[in-house]
Structures are given as C-alpha cells and as structure tokens.
Amino acid sequence: MAAPAMAATIGNKVHNCYGIYWNTDWNQECGSGGASETGSYESEADCSWSGDQSLEKHRNAGSTASYDGDDCLNSVWVVVTRYR
C-alpha cells in the first residue's frame, strides 16, 4: 500500500522565492513571474533529529528554476530563505 501524499508547505517568501517542503523532501522555488531581484538566494531546511540542509543559488530576475535540496533523514520542520 502506498503512503498517502503529503501536502506541500511553503516557507517565507523573499523577492518571490521560497522553500517548499513535504515530508523529507524540499526545494527552492520562485512564484509566478520568477525572482523579483537578481542575487543569491539561500534556503535552509530545519531537519528534525538530524543535521540541517542548505543550498545557495544565484538567480537572475525572472528566474523560475526549481532546485532540489538534499533530503532530511526524518522530516522537515521549516525552510527559511534569505537573500544576499
């Protein structure tokens, strides 16, 4: 029997970009229209009972790329995104 699908949760938005997460999986994405500023976006997943995971990507204004973060071993509590 397959596990039930988990609804996605969206973290804070910075210039229209954010972390989106499910159970142990998470991505850095931007909403419709893409990033509103060119620069470096860092997303950090707060993993329960294991080390946190992070990724930093340079985005041009308008970027709509989805970047897959390294999975957490157990679950993701929250994903916080910062702009540099």
Side-chain angles (χ1 to χ4, degrees):
M1 178 176 201
M6 301 278 298
T9 304
I10 294 174
N12 68 305
K13 288 187 179 182
V14 179
H15 301 302
N16 202 34
C17 296
Y18 51 86
I20 184 170
Y21 54 102
W22 298 268
N23 184 18
T24 59
D25 186 31
W26 65 281
N27 295 350
Q28 182 191 87
E29 300 185 353
C30 298
S32 179
S36 60
E37 297 286 334
T38 295
S40 184
Y41 292 80
E42 179 184 28
S43 296
E44 183 173 7
D46 183 356
C47 301
S48 63
W49 304 295
S50 66
D52 296 343
Q53 301 291 339
S54 65
L55 65 83
E56 187 170 347
K57 294 293 182 181
H58 178 84
R59 291 179 176 273
N60 292 321
S63 169
T64 58
S66 178
Y67 297 106
D68 186 28
D70 288 337
D71 290 358
C72 293
L73 293 177
N74 293 302
S75 60
V76 179
W77 287 105
V78 68
V79 178
V80 176
T81 300
R82 298 173 192 86
Y83 174 80
R84 298 179 187 259

